Amino acid sequence: DAGITQSPRHKVTETGTPVTLRCHQTENHRYMYWYRQDPGHGLRLIHYSYGVKDTDKGEVSDGYSVSRSKTEDFLLTLESATSSQTSVYFCAISEVVLTGFRNGYTFGSGTRLTVV
Amino acid sequence: QQPVQSPQAVILREGEDAVINCSSSKALYSVHWYRQKHGEAPVFLMILLKGGEQKGHEKISASFNEKKQQSSLYLTASQLSYSGTYFCGTLMNRDDKIIFGKGTRLHILP
């Protein structure tokens, strides 16, 4: 299995505080993603990265920022946490295989974030 | 742009078959299928590229109708281990990001 870890696994934080979630991979994959999962909404894309310092917004990016200074690390920051950002956050990685198409995503174990 | 999955939920008895559908309003490059068990991360099942190919994984297979922008996941002779939520994800080109449907909850009874 691909090596991908998320930290922390659980976090409780107060409204208005900044929070940073970390995704670390050992597979040297180019593509990395942050999704949030909420009941009734499925998985929604927050931000994604196609390489070092190459990031872009997803469908629910407001209130979030990301950074990727190294291939292996993709950080998600909640600039000022709100209760609506209480969710489970998943990081995912993928790569283009030799046949030219993108392989399936491998997901991290998730971070359960509660904003009180 | 979010693909639409149907049904939202299915309850089956072990050994029965199920079909989960995924449809998009956009022209697609590929469709992914994932399964997520409660409290765990989604796990990749298979990918289908435009061209209508059908792929299989154990007793789980899928098809992709490029003209209709639809994909279906077939679970044959379902097992208890098949319980979970199934997500389809769609991409419009190779370098696109996956947009996931809202999921279909599948519950298998003994």
Side-chain angles (χ1 to χ4, degrees), chain A residues 31 35 37 50 100 102 105 108, chain B residues 34 36 41 94-96 98:
Chain A
Y31 302 90
Y35 287 86
Q37 186 171 36
Y50 288 169
R102 188 101 59 78
Y105 287 12
Chain B
Y34 294 77
Q36 183 180 31
R94 192 195 78 166
D95 289 325
D96 200 5
I98 291 181

Side-chain angles (χ1 to χ4, degrees), chain A residues 41-58:
Chain A
H41 291 279
L43 292 151
R44 292 181 293 174
L45 182 65
I46 306 171
H47 281 280
Y48 58 101
S49 172
Y50 288 169
V52 173
K53 297 184 180 180
D54 185 3
T55 65
D56 207 346
K57 297 178 180 180

Side-chain angles (χ1 to χ4, degrees), chain A residues 8-83:
Chain A
R9 291 294 310 277
H10 302 272
K11 186 171 182 65
V12 180
T13 191
E14 293 185 349
T15 299
T17 60
V19 177
T20 296
L21 309 182
R22 182 186 185 226
C23 178
H24 178 77
Q25 59 142 332
T26 58
E27 299 300 313
N28 201 36
H29 282 358
R30 176 183 168 193
Y31 302 90
M32 298 187 76
Y33 312 85
W34 277 107
Y35 287 86
R36 61 177 289 176
Q37 186 171 36
D38 306 286
H41 291 279
L43 292 151
R44 292 181 293 174
L45 182 65
I46 306 171
H47 281 280
Y48 58 101
S49 172
Y50 288 169
V52 173
K53 297 184 180 180
D54 185 3
T55 65
D56 207 346
K57 297 178 180 180
E59 53 189 316
V60 290
S61 61
D62 287 348
Y64 302 94
S65 62
V66 289
S67 67
R68 192 168 179 199
S69 58
K70 299 184 291 185
T71 299
E72 58 265 35
D73 289 324
F74 193 30
L75 304 179
L76 176 71
T77 297
L78 288 68
E79 294 147 4
S80 177
T82 66
S83 59

